[in-house]
């Protein structure tokens, strides 16, 4: 399923993450999933939120660099090799996985967020192979 992901560039210093989260709270935006990656100076916060457009606008008004990106959310069987099989389908068809992170785990399924070089082709390939 295609979803809009909210990405925010934040300085890697005390209080900046809290400020982003406070802005989202003040705008009644719920975080469904997040991933935070850092470098020495900046962090990249990727989130699936209840209202991505409103979240982006609120953060931009507060001076943060925020953008929306289309990603795929894919449910996988919770068994060894499921993720490798999904990635193999893409790799065999020259679709690059740019990044991926886990969204949630219940007893039966694992869910991953996937950004690929060509999301439309990735979605079609995975659907044709019964992976989504």
């Amino acid at each position: 399923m295609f979803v809009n992901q909210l990405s925010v560039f934040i300085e890697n210093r005390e209080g900046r993450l809290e400020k982003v989260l406070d802005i989202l709270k003040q705008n009644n935006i719920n975080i469904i999933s997040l991933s935070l990656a850092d470098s020495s100076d900046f962090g990249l916060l990727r989130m699936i939120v209840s209202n991505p457009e409103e979240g982006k606008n609120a953060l931009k008004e507060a001076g943060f660099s925020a953008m929306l990106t289309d990603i795929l959310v894919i449910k996988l069987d919770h068994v060894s090799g499921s993720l490798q099989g999904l990635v193999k389908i893409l790799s065999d068809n020259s679709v690059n996985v740019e990044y991926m992170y886990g969204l949630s785990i219940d007893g039966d399924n694992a869910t991953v967020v996937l950004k690929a070089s060509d999301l439309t082709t990735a979605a079609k390939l995975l659907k044709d192979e019964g992976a989504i």
Side-chain angles (χ1 to χ4, degrees):
M1 145 178 44
F2 286 96
V3 174
N4 260 331
Q5 173 185 262
L6 175 60
S7 298
V8 187
F9 295 95
I10 54 177
E11 294 170 273
N12 193 1
R13 64 181 174 89
E14 186 177 314
R16 297 306 285 165
L17 176 60
E18 190 277 329
K19 182 65 176 167
V20 168
L21 299 178
D22 186 53
I23 291 165
L24 295 177
K25 178 183 83 171
Q26 289 175 25
N27 287 274
N28 200 32
I29 296 169
N30 186 40
I31 299 169
I32 298 162
S33 178
L34 67 82
S35 170
L36 178 61
D38 72 323
S39 68
S40 59
D41 296 326
F42 287 91
L44 178 57
L45 178 62
R46 293 180 171 124
M47 299 175 285
I48 297 174
V49 298
S50 58
N51 189 330
E53 190 68 43
E54 187 176 322
K56 179 187 83 167
N57 293 339
L59 289 163
K60 283 189 170 230
E61 285 177 21
F64 286 93
S65 177
M67 65 182 197
L68 298 179
T69 307
D70 286 332
I71 49 95
L72 286 173
V73 175
I74 304 163
K75 281 200 171 216
L76 298 171
D77 291 333
H78 199 325
V79 296
S80 295
S82 294
L83 182 60
Q84 184 275 332
L86 179 142
V87 172
K88 181 170 178 23
I89 292 167
L90 299 177
S91 178
D92 287 350
N93 289 277
S94 301
V95 176
N96 182 47
V97 175
E98 295 177 3
Y99 61 82
M100 180 184 295
Y101 59 93
L103 179 61
S104 66
I105 297 176
D106 62 25
D108 299 318
N109 294 298
T111 306
V112 295
V113 171
L114 178 112
K115 174 71 169 85
S117 56
D118 183 343
L119 282 179
T120 303
T121 299
K124 182 181 180 334
L125 288 166
L126 297 173
K127 185 175 181 182
D128 290 350
E129 293 289 331
I132 59 172

